[in-house]
Amino acid sequence: MLVDDASTDQTVTLARELGLEPIRHELNLGYGGNQKTCYRRVLELGADIIVMVHPDYQYSPLLVPAMASMIAYGEYDLVLGSRILAQNSVARGMPRYKYAANRFLTFVENVFLRQKLSEYHTGLRAFSSALLASLPFERNSDDFVFDNQIIAQAVAAGARIGEVSCPTRYETDSSSINLRRSIRYGFGVLRTCGQYRLHEQRLRRYPYLDFEPAAVRALLQSTANAAKSAAEARGSARTGG
C-alpha cells in the first residue's frame, strides 16, 4: 500500500507502472496523517501483519519477512527495526548529532515508559493486525511524533515488543527532516513521555491514550495463542507427528 501525500513528483506515475494502486491525498496531511491512511486501508483489506518501511531505502526491506515471521508465529505484537542494536550507526553514516539525540531521547523514553528498547525512532516497523486495529491511532498527531505516540499506545496496551538489528544507509537521496523540525520532534517526544506518565498515574487524560488496555491485552494473548497453536500444528504435520 502506497499513499502519496500530495507530492509534486512522479510518485503516483511510477507506482502505477510498478503495478500498485496508490492513494493520493489532495492536500498534504503530514507524516502521521499519511500513516493513518495507510493503516486504515490495509486493515480494511484484512491484512494479518502490517509492515511500515520508509520508502527512501535508508532501511533494508529485506528484513520484512523476518519481522513478519516474528509476529506470524505469535512471539511479538510489534517488531522494530533498530539502527542502534548490534552495529555502529555512526560508522554506517548516521550524523553524530542525530546519534546523540537518538540516544538521549531513547534513554528518556525508556525511563518514562519503563522499557528497554534500543531506539524508538525507526522507520521500519511491523504490527500485528490485532494490535494495530485495537489502538486508537487516528487520535495521534499528524506530524512526526505520531511514531512515538503509537509506541506509547502499544506499551500502554501491554504489547510484546521485539527488535531486530537493521543495517541502514545514509545517502544524499535519503530523506531527512531539517534541524527546526528535528528540534520540534524532540520536544514532541519528551511531551509524549510526560503525557504517558501523567495518564498512567491518572493525573491527566489524553485522548490517544484513553482506551481499555485490559481488553487489548486479552485480544493480543488470544491471537498469540492461536498463532502458536497453528505453528505447532504445521510443525507436527511436517514431521509426521
Side-chain angles (χ1 to χ4, degrees), residues 154-167:
V155 171
R160 297 161 305 154
I161 304 175
E163 294 183 282
V164 296
S165 178
C166 175

Side-chain angles (χ1 to χ4, degrees), residues 58 83-84 89-90 93-105 119 121 170 174-179 182:
Q58 184 180 120
R83 296 168 293 177
I84 306 300
S89 301
V90 174
M94 179 183 281
R96 291 184 181 277
Y97 80 91
K98 286 194 172 184
Y99 178 81
N102 186 303
R103 297 293 77 220
F104 169 72
L105 292 174
E119 79 156 319
H121 319 289
Y170 292 85
S174 296
S175 64
S176 180
I177 60 176
N178 59 37
L179 180 60
S182 295

Side-chain angles (χ1 to χ4, degrees), residues 189-203:
V189 169
L190 297 177
R191 189 180 306 112
T192 299
C193 291
Q195 290 173 346
Y196 176 88
R197 187 59 67 86
L198 289 172
H199 190 93
E200 181 187 45
Q201 296 178 351
R202 302 179 184 275
L203 298 175

